[in-house]
mmCIF file of all heavy atoms in Angstrom:
data_model
loop_
_atom_site.group_PDB
_atom_site.id
_atom_site.type_symbol
_atom_site.label_atom_id
_atom_site.label_comp_id
_atom_site.label_asym_id
_atom_site.label_seq_id
_atom_site.Cartn_x
_atom_site.Cartn_y
_atom_site.Cartn_z
ATOM 1 N N PRO A 1 5.394 9.258 14.888
ATOM 2 C CA PRO A 1 4.819 9.374 16.239
ATOM 3 C C PRO A 1 4.071 8.091 16.597
ATOM 4 O O PRO A 1 3.455 7.414 15.759
ATOM 5 C CB PRO A 1 3.799 10.557 16.106
ATOM 6 C CG PRO A 1 4.291 11.306 14.902
ATOM 7 C CD PRO A 1 4.965 10.303 13.965
ATOM 8 N N THR A 2 4.169 7.667 17.870
ATOM 9 C CA THR A 2 3.630 6.395 18.311
ATOM 10 C C THR A 2 2.147 6.199 17.938
ATOM 11 O O THR A 2 1.744 5.154 17.466
ATOM 12 C CB THR A 2 3.815 6.270 19.836
ATOM 13 O OG1 THR A 2 5.201 6.403 20.136
ATOM 14 C CG2 THR A 2 3.349 4.854 20.339
ATOM 15 N N LYS A 3 1.321 7.262 18.194
ATOM 16 C CA LYS A 3 -0.102 7.134 17.842
ATOM 17 C C LYS A 3 -0.306 6.831 16.365
ATOM 18 O O LYS A 3 -1.159 6.061 15.977
ATOM 19 C CB LYS A 3 -0.864 8.408 18.250
ATOM 20 C CG LYS A 3 -1.276 8.491 19.676
ATOM 21 C CD LYS A 3 -2.013 9.786 19.964
ATOM 22 C CE LYS A 3 -3.439 9.714 19.599
ATOM 23 N NZ LYS A 3 -4.229 10.887 20.107
ATOM 24 N N LEU A 4 0.451 7.552 15.530
ATOM 25 C CA LEU A 4 0.301 7.418 14.063
ATOM 26 C C LEU A 4 0.795 6.045 13.626
ATOM 27 O O LEU A 4 0.166 5.372 12.793
ATOM 28 C CB LEU A 4 1.095 8.498 13.347
ATOM 29 C CG LEU A 4 0.816 8.662 11.846
ATOM 30 C CD1 LEU A 4 -0.649 8.838 11.551
ATOM 31 C CD2 LEU A 4 1.625 9.859 11.300
ATOM 32 N N PHE A 5 1.902 5.588 14.221
ATOM 33 C CA PHE A 5 2.452 4.261 13.843
ATOM 34 C C PHE A 5 1.407 3.172 14.258
ATOM 35 O O PHE A 5 1.164 2.258 13.561
ATOM 36 C CB PHE A 5 3.776 4.007 14.518
ATOM 37 C CG PHE A 5 4.315 2.629 14.246
ATOM 38 C CD1 PHE A 5 4.846 2.327 13.001
ATOM 39 C CD2 PHE A 5 4.230 1.653 15.221
ATOM 40 C CE1 PHE A 5 5.289 1.050 12.772
ATOM 41 C CE2 PHE A 5 4.715 0.396 14.985
ATOM 42 C CZ PHE A 5 5.225 0.051 13.749
ATOM 43 N N ASP A 6 0.911 3.282 15.468
ATOM 44 C CA ASP A 6 -0.041 2.302 16.002
ATOM 45 C C ASP A 6 -1.301 2.240 15.106
ATOM 46 O O ASP A 6 -1.814 1.159 14.791
ATOM 47 C CB ASP A 6 -0.510 2.602 17.413
ATOM 48 C CG ASP A 6 0.649 2.357 18.429
ATOM 49 O OD1 ASP A 6 1.662 1.731 18.061
ATOM 50 O OD2 ASP A 6 0.546 2.819 19.587
ATOM 51 N N LEU A 7 -1.738 3.433 14.666
ATOM 52 C CA LEU A 7 -2.949 3.477 13.766
ATOM 53 C C LEU A 7 -2.627 2.843 12.390
ATOM 54 O O LEU A 7 -3.451 2.121 11.831
ATOM 55 C CB LEU A 7 -3.377 4.940 13.604
ATOM 56 C CG LEU A 7 -4.635 5.178 12.761
ATOM 57 C CD1 LEU A 7 -5.848 4.394 13.341
ATOM 58 C CD2 LEU A 7 -4.924 6.644 12.693
ATOM 59 N N LEU A 8 -1.400 3.089 11.918
ATOM 60 C CA LEU A 8 -0.987 2.452 10.617
ATOM 61 C C LEU A 8 -0.988 0.938 10.758
ATOM 62 O O LEU A 8 -1.574 0.234 9.927
ATOM 63 C CB LEU A 8 0.402 2.966 10.243
ATOM 64 C CG LEU A 8 1.061 2.252 9.071
ATOM 65 C CD1 LEU A 8 0.231 2.413 7.769
ATOM 66 C CD2 LEU A 8 2.483 2.745 8.848
ATOM 67 N N VAL A 9 -0.393 0.407 11.787
ATOM 68 C CA VAL A 9 -0.354 -1.054 12.034
ATOM 69 C C VAL A 9 -1.741 -1.609 12.193
ATOM 70 O O VAL A 9 -2.087 -2.656 11.621
ATOM 71 C CB VAL A 9 0.605 -1.383 13.204
ATOM 72 C CG1 VAL A 9 0.507 -2.894 13.533
ATOM 73 C CG2 VAL A 9 2.038 -1.033 12.851
ATOM 74 N N LEU A 10 -2.553 -0.949 12.999
ATOM 75 C CA LEU A 10 -3.933 -1.400 13.220
ATOM 76 C C LEU A 10 -4.707 -1.420 11.945
ATOM 77 O O LEU A 10 -5.401 -2.418 11.604
ATOM 78 C CB LEU A 10 -4.619 -0.469 14.275
ATOM 79 C CG LEU A 10 -6.051 -0.854 14.636
ATOM 80 C CD1 LEU A 10 -6.045 -2.187 15.338
ATOM 81 C CD2 LEU A 10 -6.646 0.256 15.505
ATOM 82 N N THR A 11 -4.581 -0.394 11.131
ATOM 83 C CA THR A 11 -5.289 -0.305 9.863
ATOM 84 C C THR A 11 -4.851 -1.433 8.925
ATOM 85 O O THR A 11 -5.642 -2.092 8.277
ATOM 86 C CB THR A 11 -5.061 1.073 9.202
ATOM 87 O OG1 THR A 11 -5.537 2.067 10.059
ATOM 88 C CG2 THR A 11 -5.743 1.187 7.866
ATOM 89 N N LEU A 12 -3.484 -1.636 8.842
ATOM 90 C CA LEU A 12 -2.989 -2.696 7.953
ATOM 91 C C LEU A 12 -3.516 -4.061 8.394
ATOM 92 O O LEU A 12 -3.828 -4.897 7.595
ATOM 93 C CB LEU A 12 -1.447 -2.636 7.929
ATOM 94 C CG LEU A 12 -0.826 -1.478 7.204
ATOM 95 C CD1 LEU A 12 0.661 -1.474 7.379
ATOM 96 C CD2 LEU A 12 -1.204 -1.433 5.734
ATOM 97 N N CYS A 13 -3.534 -4.277 9.725
ATOM 98 C CA CYS A 13 -4.018 -5.520 10.243
ATOM 99 C C CYS A 13 -5.535 -5.764 9.984
ATOM 100 O O CYS A 13 -5.934 -6.826 9.560
ATOM 101 C CB CYS A 13 -3.715 -5.696 11.704
ATOM 102 S SG CYS A 13 -1.967 -5.868 12.072
ATOM 103 N N GLN A 14 -6.305 -4.764 10.288
ATOM 104 C CA GLN A 14 -7.750 -4.841 10.161
ATOM 105 C C GLN A 14 -8.203 -5.011 8.733
ATOM 106 O O GLN A 14 -9.192 -5.704 8.453
ATOM 107 C CB GLN A 14 -8.426 -3.619 10.741
ATOM 108 C CG GLN A 14 -8.372 -3.557 12.255
ATOM 109 C CD GLN A 14 -9.070 -2.276 12.795
ATOM 110 O OE1 GLN A 14 -9.150 -1.250 12.093
ATOM 111 N NE2 GLN A 14 -9.528 -2.336 14.023
ATOM 112 N N GLN A 15 -7.502 -4.422 7.831
ATOM 113 C CA GLN A 15 -7.936 -4.413 6.438
ATOM 114 C C GLN A 15 -7.223 -5.442 5.564
ATOM 115 O O GLN A 15 -7.416 -5.547 4.349
ATOM 116 C CB GLN A 15 -7.821 -3.028 5.800
ATOM 117 C CG GLN A 15 -8.741 -2.040 6.588
ATOM 118 C CD GLN A 15 -8.868 -0.720 5.923
ATOM 119 O OE1 GLN A 15 -8.692 -0.568 4.743
ATOM 120 N NE2 GLN A 15 -9.260 0.268 6.738
ATOM 121 N N ALA A 16 -6.381 -6.294 6.232
ATOM 122 C CA ALA A 16 -5.639 -7.285 5.499
ATOM 123 C C ALA A 16 -6.509 -8.229 4.639
ATOM 124 O O ALA A 16 -6.184 -8.563 3.515
ATOM 125 C CB ALA A 16 -4.756 -8.113 6.441
ATOM 126 N N PRO A 17 -7.681 -8.681 5.147
ATOM 127 C CA PRO A 17 -8.537 -9.598 4.315
ATOM 128 C C PRO A 17 -8.927 -9.011 3.009
ATOM 129 O O PRO A 17 -9.131 -9.772 2.016
ATOM 130 C CB PRO A 17 -9.727 -9.828 5.193
ATOM 131 C CG PRO A 17 -9.242 -9.619 6.619
ATOM 132 C CD PRO A 17 -8.248 -8.538 6.501
ATOM 133 N N ALA A 18 -8.990 -7.683 2.840
ATOM 134 C CA ALA A 18 -9.435 -7.063 1.607
ATOM 135 C C ALA A 18 -8.275 -7.057 0.574
ATOM 136 O O ALA A 18 -8.494 -6.755 -0.622
ATOM 137 C CB ALA A 18 -9.888 -5.654 1.856
ATOM 138 N N PHE A 19 -7.038 -7.379 1.021
ATOM 139 C CA PHE A 19 -5.892 -7.247 0.147
ATOM 140 C C PHE A 19 -5.135 -8.560 -0.022
ATOM 141 O O PHE A 19 -3.895 -8.554 -0.202
ATOM 142 C CB PHE A 19 -4.942 -6.164 0.660
ATOM 143 C CG PHE A 19 -5.516 -4.813 0.692
ATOM 144 C CD1 PHE A 19 -6.059 -4.230 1.819
ATOM 145 C CD2 PHE A 19 -5.593 -4.067 -0.475
ATOM 146 C CE1 PHE A 19 -6.549 -2.955 1.877
ATOM 147 C CE2 PHE A 19 -6.131 -2.782 -0.471
ATOM 148 C CZ PHE A 19 -6.632 -2.223 0.707
ATOM 149 N N THR A 20 -5.848 -9.693 0.057
ATOM 150 C CA THR A 20 -5.173 -10.985 0.029
ATOM 151 C C THR A 20 -4.420 -11.266 -1.266
ATOM 152 O O THR A 20 -3.437 -11.988 -1.245
ATOM 153 C CB THR A 20 -6.209 -12.151 0.251
ATOM 154 O OG1 THR A 20 -7.220 -12.020 -0.723
ATOM 155 C CG2 THR A 20 -6.724 -12.113 1.663
ATOM 156 N N THR A 21 -4.779 -10.599 -2.341
ATOM 157 C CA THR A 21 -4.099 -10.828 -3.613
ATOM 158 C C THR A 21 -3.306 -9.597 -4.100
ATOM 159 O O THR A 21 -2.905 -9.526 -5.245
ATOM 160 C CB THR A 21 -5.076 -11.250 -4.712
ATOM 161 O OG1 THR A 21 -6.048 -10.205 -4.864
ATOM 162 C CG2 THR A 21 -5.785 -12.541 -4.375
ATOM 163 N N SER A 22 -3.141 -8.593 -3.251
ATOM 164 C CA SER A 22 -2.542 -7.348 -3.613
ATOM 165 C C SER A 22 -1.014 -7.355 -3.430
ATOM 166 O O SER A 22 -0.511 -7.484 -2.309
ATOM 167 C CB SER A 22 -3.132 -6.160 -2.806
ATOM 168 O OG SER A 22 -2.423 -5.014 -3.043
ATOM 169 N N LEU A 23 -0.301 -7.194 -4.529
ATOM 170 C CA LEU A 23 1.156 -7.130 -4.449
ATOM 171 C C LEU A 23 1.565 -5.834 -3.732
ATOM 172 O O LEU A 23 2.538 -5.813 -2.946
ATOM 173 C CB LEU A 23 1.752 -7.252 -5.843
ATOM 174 C CG LEU A 23 3.256 -7.243 -5.926
ATOM 175 C CD1 LEU A 23 3.858 -8.345 -5.113
ATOM 176 C CD2 LEU A 23 3.699 -7.285 -7.390
ATOM 177 N N ASP A 24 0.862 -4.704 -3.983
ATOM 178 C CA ASP A 24 1.198 -3.427 -3.387
ATOM 179 C C ASP A 24 1.023 -3.509 -1.866
ATOM 180 O O ASP A 24 1.814 -2.928 -1.128
ATOM 181 C CB ASP A 24 0.335 -2.282 -3.953
ATOM 182 C CG ASP A 24 0.783 -1.886 -5.342
ATOM 183 O OD1 ASP A 24 1.936 -2.115 -5.680
ATOM 184 O OD2 ASP A 24 -0.077 -1.274 -6.078
ATOM 185 N N TYR A 25 0.011 -4.218 -1.401
ATOM 186 C CA TYR A 25 -0.204 -4.372 0.027
ATOM 187 C C TYR A 25 0.933 -5.151 0.610
ATOM 188 O O TYR A 25 1.450 -4.824 1.734
ATOM 189 C CB TYR A 25 -1.594 -5.028 0.263
ATOM 190 C CG TYR A 25 -1.856 -5.245 1.720
ATOM 191 C CD1 TYR A 25 -2.372 -4.225 2.509
ATOM 192 C CD2 TYR A 25 -1.593 -6.451 2.415
ATOM 193 C CE1 TYR A 25 -2.613 -4.406 3.898
ATOM 194 C CE2 TYR A 25 -1.832 -6.633 3.707
ATOM 195 C CZ TYR A 25 -2.356 -5.588 4.476
ATOM 196 O OH TYR A 25 -2.580 -5.762 5.785
ATOM 197 N N ALA A 26 1.315 -6.249 0.002
ATOM 198 C CA ALA A 26 2.425 -7.073 0.483
ATOM 199 C C ALA A 26 3.702 -6.236 0.559
ATOM 200 O O ALA A 26 4.458 -6.332 1.540
ATOM 201 C CB ALA A 26 2.632 -8.254 -0.416
ATOM 202 N N LYS A 27 3.967 -5.430 -0.455
ATOM 203 C CA LYS A 27 5.170 -4.550 -0.414
ATOM 204 C C LYS A 27 5.096 -3.589 0.750
ATOM 205 O O LYS A 27 6.081 -3.278 1.417
ATOM 206 C CB LYS A 27 5.274 -3.762 -1.752
ATOM 207 C CG LYS A 27 5.700 -4.611 -2.920
ATOM 208 C CD LYS A 27 5.725 -3.691 -4.177
ATOM 209 C CE LYS A 27 6.082 -4.474 -5.429
ATOM 210 N NZ LYS A 27 5.998 -3.622 -6.616
ATOM 211 N N LEU A 28 3.903 -3.060 0.977
ATOM 212 C CA LEU A 28 3.692 -2.079 2.039
ATOM 213 C C LEU A 28 3.974 -2.678 3.418
ATOM 214 O O LEU A 28 4.637 -2.146 4.292
ATOM 215 C CB LEU A 28 2.306 -1.471 1.930
ATOM 216 C CG LEU A 28 1.937 -0.421 2.995
ATOM 217 C CD1 LEU A 28 2.909 0.746 2.952
ATOM 218 C CD2 LEU A 28 0.518 0.056 2.744
ATOM 219 N N VAL A 29 3.389 -3.847 3.620
ATOM 220 C CA VAL A 29 3.576 -4.516 4.929
ATOM 221 C C VAL A 29 5.055 -4.881 5.083
ATOM 222 O O VAL A 29 5.602 -4.672 6.201
ATOM 223 C CB VAL A 29 2.665 -5.812 5.008
ATOM 224 C CG1 VAL A 29 3.048 -6.635 6.215
ATOM 225 C CG2 VAL A 29 1.206 -5.374 5.060
ATOM 226 N N THR A 30 5.716 -5.329 4.027
ATOM 227 C CA THR A 30 7.138 -5.645 4.086
ATOM 228 C C THR A 30 7.946 -4.421 4.499
ATOM 229 O O THR A 30 8.861 -4.475 5.318
ATOM 230 C CB THR A 30 7.639 -6.249 2.761
ATOM 231 O OG1 THR A 30 6.852 -7.429 2.475
ATOM 232 C CG2 THR A 30 9.127 -6.590 2.835
ATOM 233 N N ALA A 31 7.598 -3.254 3.869
ATOM 234 C CA ALA A 31 8.290 -1.998 4.152
ATOM 235 C C ALA A 31 8.105 -1.601 5.623
ATOM 236 O O ALA A 31 9.052 -1.186 6.310
ATOM 237 C CB ALA A 31 7.827 -0.929 3.221
ATOM 238 N N VAL A 32 6.885 -1.732 6.132
ATOM 239 C CA VAL A 32 6.626 -1.417 7.542
ATOM 240 C C VAL A 32 7.428 -2.294 8.457
ATOM 241 O O VAL A 32 8.089 -1.863 9.403
ATOM 242 C CB VAL A 32 5.091 -1.461 7.829
ATOM 243 C CG1 VAL A 32 4.876 -1.366 9.392
ATOM 244 C CG2 VAL A 32 4.358 -0.359 7.128
ATOM 245 N N LEU A 33 7.442 -3.649 8.156
ATOM 246 C CA LEU A 33 8.142 -4.562 9.019
ATOM 247 C C LEU A 33 9.653 -4.324 8.991
ATOM 248 O O LEU A 33 10.329 -4.468 9.969
ATOM 249 C CB LEU A 33 7.814 -6.025 8.566
ATOM 250 C CG LEU A 33 6.397 -6.477 8.867
ATOM 251 C CD1 LEU A 33 6.177 -7.856 8.285
ATOM 252 C CD2 LEU A 33 6.118 -6.506 10.341
ATOM 253 N N THR A 34 10.166 -3.887 7.811
ATOM 254 C CA THR A 34 11.590 -3.688 7.667
ATOM 255 C C THR A 34 11.986 -2.371 8.323
ATOM 256 O O THR A 34 12.954 -2.295 9.084
ATOM 257 C CB THR A 34 11.972 -3.608 6.156
ATOM 258 O OG1 THR A 34 11.557 -4.817 5.575
ATOM 259 C CG2 THR A 34 13.439 -3.384 5.977
ATOM 260 N N MET A 35 11.241 -1.287 8.054
ATOM 261 C CA MET A 35 11.620 0.035 8.594
ATOM 262 C C MET A 35 11.409 0.145 10.107
ATOM 263 O O MET A 35 12.117 0.876 10.780
ATOM 264 C CB MET A 35 10.784 1.132 7.880
ATOM 265 C CG MET A 35 11.184 1.365 6.454
ATOM 266 S SD MET A 35 10.137 2.563 5.662
ATOM 267 C CE MET A 35 10.508 4.076 6.586
ATOM 268 N N TYR A 36 10.375 -0.494 10.573
ATOM 269 C CA TYR A 36 9.998 -0.345 12.013
ATOM 270 C C TYR A 36 10.040 -1.642 12.786
ATOM 271 O O TYR A 36 9.251 -1.847 13.660
ATOM 272 C CB TYR A 36 8.611 0.301 12.057
ATOM 273 C CG TYR A 36 8.527 1.606 11.372
ATOM 274 C CD1 TYR A 36 7.964 1.749 10.106
ATOM 275 C CD2 TYR A 36 9.025 2.775 11.986
ATOM 276 C CE1 TYR A 36 7.879 2.983 9.479
ATOM 277 C CE2 TYR A 36 8.975 4.012 11.328
ATOM 278 C CZ TYR A 36 8.406 4.094 10.068
ATOM 279 O OH TYR A 36 8.385 5.309 9.467
#
């Protein structure tokens, strides 16, 4: 759903600085960019 997707993207963007060295975060962002 659009609201849920927008919240997911917003959360990933806002919290990116906390995950600068996280491989799991990088995989997650890649999955979001690929799937959507």
Side-chain angles (χ1 to χ4, degrees):
T2 304
K3 275 179 85 171
L4 191 55
F5 177 76
D6 291 347
L7 183 57
L8 171 62
V9 171
L10 181 64
T11 300
L12 291 174
C13 291
Q14 286 178 337
Q15 298 191 22
F19 296 100
T20 54
T21 60
S22 171
L23 184 58
D24 285 338
Y25 180 82
K27 287 179 185 176
L28 181 57
V29 170
T30 303
V32 169
L33 292 173
T34 303
M35 290 176 66
Y36 301 103

